[in-house]
Amino acid sequence: MKNVLKLFALLFAFSCNDIASTQDEISEVIDKQRSDSDINARINTTPIPTYPLSWETIMDMPHPNLSIRAPWQVGASARISNDAIHDYKNQDGWELVYNTFSPTVASSTLFFALYNKYRGILRVYYFSKNDVSSIYTDYLKGTLILEGSSNTSSPILNFVSTSVVDASNKNIFGAVIIPFRSSTNTWFAFDFELAYDPNMASKTFSELAARLNIEGVNITSVNLNGTIDGELSGQVASSGLSLSVSPNFSGNTTNYVNSTIINGNSDADKLKIGTILKNGIKSGLTSGLAGLASNFLSGIFSKTTSNASVSKMTVDMNQTLTGTFTDELGIVAFSLPFTGNLSPIGNGSHPDVQGIFNLTGLPTIKVIKIHQRRLDSSGAEIEPLISYQYELVPGTLNVIWNPSVVPSLGSVSNQKNEVVVLDHASITYNGVNETSGSLQVTTGNYVKVGPEPLTPIGIRVSFKFSPSNGSNFVFNAKTFAANIISEDLYLPPGGGGGEDS
């Protein structure tokens, strides 16, 4: 457990640009984890049984001796965000992947999971039964951990809870803390957004699987962007806000960024942050539902068949949590096979490789420092005007689509690849100024500013996916970290062109 916590801290406590400098330490922890005998034992066992489940039509979950109302039915005890609780229809892309509920078998741990093949989201519904007690833990953390001999080579968890994706990195952890107070005999839901892994179809269960853990966290206080929320209680606790951070709480205060997930306007309204910041978040939610990428870096937006809006936006917030990490609760050692690989998944109804898309590697942004040479009235050369241009190098951004989704299930349109740079304090000659969470950014097909340089964040890839079954489109946007190259461009007086080395 000590090694697990150490690796969580490494993967989540740093922004994308910081992760690369920790690779040696991460590799050391991974090597230790892969040698643990308990992991080797788990990946050589049979995957969990997945019983058939008519989740759309049932009132009560199948169980030999317990009466458990389905999470979205009237009378169910559920602590699930308003944006997610009634979003479960097959027409909207949801399919069954895991299920331990059975009319004849009483599983010691009760959960099922749906996967949305149009959005790439794995949603785990967990019924706490008597596994947790609010006496011992306040909140629950859901974690997926990659296991097997290929666990460090798969990008499938790269999209979990990050606003800027490093396509050169392979995350083996994905964790989400939901701020609903833990309770017995209650439903909870954990969302994990999966990236497409083109090698998944060739993997066996022993080569690549996911361990699902649900653990307890005692959170004393939360500070978002300099504003103290105090204990996660009252309105904040009843919202769907997912604080996706490292669970490495030890009584010390720790800062995290790139880690706040907003599920719809109801979540934004309940955030105790400044009005300007809150309005920027709500503007991003609105633009995403309209199929436009503005005021956010990463998100998924759609409408259900009931015409209710569903949205999940990851934003950067300066975030401080204080609390303690408790023992694992509930699902301790379930290893789950990924769909579409060489190991059968039982009776799950989704047979294909998961994820919608990914990049083959880091794109490249060129930063051009433009020196506009000038002459005074006598014809003597004076100090040039300086500006900076940021552009995507052609051929360096390579999107790969999951063929079981595109074009098999629908079509992609309106794809845009936009440069994103941090802070628009300089004069903007080309680009759009936006607010993404606590970040001020400038975006565009290319960005030109001056006279001071800005910091490139990456390339925002956005697109509409239109399902062929006629259901509502899904708007998806991800910002990817990039390689940076530089060059100087010297323009002669009068605006001609000329480049010096």
Side-chain angles (χ1 to χ4, degrees), residues 266-419:
S266 61
D267 280 7
D269 283 332
K270 293 167 185 173
L271 287 171
K272 295 183 180 179
I273 54 179
T275 301
I276 294 177
L277 182 56
K278 184 182 297 186
N279 288 343
I281 291 173
K282 294 175 74 171
S283 175
L285 292 166
T286 300
S287 70
L289 288 169
L292 302 171
S294 178
N295 291 316
F296 67 92
L297 297 183
S298 294
I300 298 177
F301 307 85
S302 188
K303 291 182 179 294
T304 67
T305 51
S306 63
N307 210 35
S309 298
V310 290
S311 57
K312 184 176 296 293
M313 187 170 76
T314 309
V315 298
D316 290 64
M317 303 276 271
N318 296 325
Q319 183 167 275
T320 304
L321 276 76
T322 305
T324 57
F325 180 82
T326 62
D327 291 336
E328 293 181 0
L329 303 168
I331 304 169
V332 178
F334 264 128
S335 286
L336 308 176
F338 286 108
T339 62
N341 66 9
L342 296 177
S343 300
I345 195 173
N347 296 311
S349 61
H350 183 80
D352 297 318
V353 172
Q354 295 163 319
I356 308 301
F357 80 112
N358 211 334
L359 298 190
T360 58
L362 292 176
T364 299
I365 293 175
K366 180 189 289 186
V367 182
I368 305 174
K369 184 176 181 180
I370 302 172
H371 306 253
Q372 177 62 64
R373 295 164 59 194
R374 298 184 297 167
L375 304 177
D376 63 13
S377 58
S378 66
E381 188 158 345
I382 61 176
E383 185 176 351
L385 290 175
I386 301 297
S387 60
Y388 294 84
Q389 183 165 305
Y390 304 82
E391 58 186 42
L392 171 65
V393 176
T396 65
L397 189 145
N398 300 302
V399 176
I400 48 173
W401 302 99
N402 184 344
S404 64
V405 179
V406 180
S408 299
L409 299 178
S411 60
V412 168
S413 61
N414 295 7
Q415 181 181 338
K416 292 183 178 180
N417 305 321
E418 298 173 290
V419 178

Side-chain angles (χ1 to χ4, degrees), residues 180-227:
F180 294 97
R181 296 238 177 225
S182 62
S183 177
T184 59
N185 300 306
T186 299
W187 286 103
F188 297 87
F190 303 88
D191 279 8
F192 303 95
E193 185 184 351
L194 303 181
Y196 172 55
D197 180 354
N199 297 314
M200 181 62 71
S202 64
K203 301 300 180 184
T204 64
F205 176 61
S206 62
E207 290 175 313
L208 188 62
R211 185 168 92 244
L212 176 62
N213 282 357
I214 292 180
E215 302 162 298
V217 181
N218 289 320
I219 300 175
T220 304
S221 64
V222 177
N223 181 318
L224 292 178
N225 251 62
T227 300

Side-chain angles (χ1 to χ4, degrees), residues 4-205:
V4 174
L5 293 178
K6 185 179 181 184
L7 186 52
F8 266 124
L10 289 173
L11 290 179
F12 285 96
F14 297 94
S15 66
C16 289
N17 291 331
D18 296 325
I19 288 177
S21 64
T22 67
Q23 288 302 311
D24 292 341
E25 193 170 356
I26 289 174
S27 299
E28 177 185 344
V29 178
I30 289 172
D31 290 342
K32 173 64 175 66
Q33 267 222 307
R34 291 178 61 184
S35 65
D36 288 347
S37 59
D38 63 326
I39 290 181
N40 292 331
R42 274 196 298 273
I43 64 177
N44 288 300
T45 59
T46 304
I48 65 165
T50 294
Y51 303 108
L53 182 68
S54 302
W55 78 91
E56 285 190 279
T57 57
I58 58 174
M59 292 290 292
D60 296 289
M61 304 300 294
H63 197 279
N65 48 49
L66 293 178
S67 177
I68 302 172
R69 187 57 56 102
W72 40 77
Q73 296 292 357
V74 175
S77 176
R79 297 189 174 183
I80 301 173
S81 70
N82 292 334
D83 209 50
I85 187 65
H86 296 296
D87 176 29
Y88 60 88
K89 298 291 187 180
N90 179 259
Q91 177 73 9
D92 297 317
W94 294 103
E95 293 188 348
L96 181 71
V97 281
Y98 313 114
N99 174 44
T100 65
F101 286 91
S102 165
T104 58
V105 179
S107 175
S108 59
T109 304
L110 299 176
F111 80 100
F112 69 99
L114 303 179
Y115 172 73
N116 194 297
K117 58 190 178 183
Y118 301 150
R119 301 178 222 162
I121 293 176
L122 176 68
R123 178 171 296 160
V124 176
Y125 296 87
Y126 168 61
F127 189 73
S128 64
K129 209 170 58 173
N130 294 314
D131 300 317
V132 301
S133 171
S134 59
I135 296 174
Y136 302 110
T137 184
D138 290 334
Y139 306 97
L140 297 181
K141 173 184 65 67
T143 309
L144 285 181
I145 306 172
L146 296 186
E147 297 180 330
S149 58
S150 298
N151 72 328
T152 61
S153 63
S154 176
I156 193 167
L157 297 185
N158 276 15
F159 289 179
V160 177
S161 306
T162 182
S163 59
V164 180
V165 178
D166 184 349
S168 67
N169 189 53
K170 305 294 189 298
N171 291 339
I172 69 168
F173 290 94
V176 175
I177 296 173
I178 55 172
F180 294 97
R181 296 238 177 225
S182 62
S183 177
T184 59
N185 300 306
T186 299
W187 286 103
F188 297 87
F190 303 88
D191 279 8
F192 303 95
E193 185 184 351
L194 303 181
Y196 172 55
D197 180 354
N199 297 314
M200 181 62 71
S202 64
K203 301 300 180 184
T204 64
F205 176 61

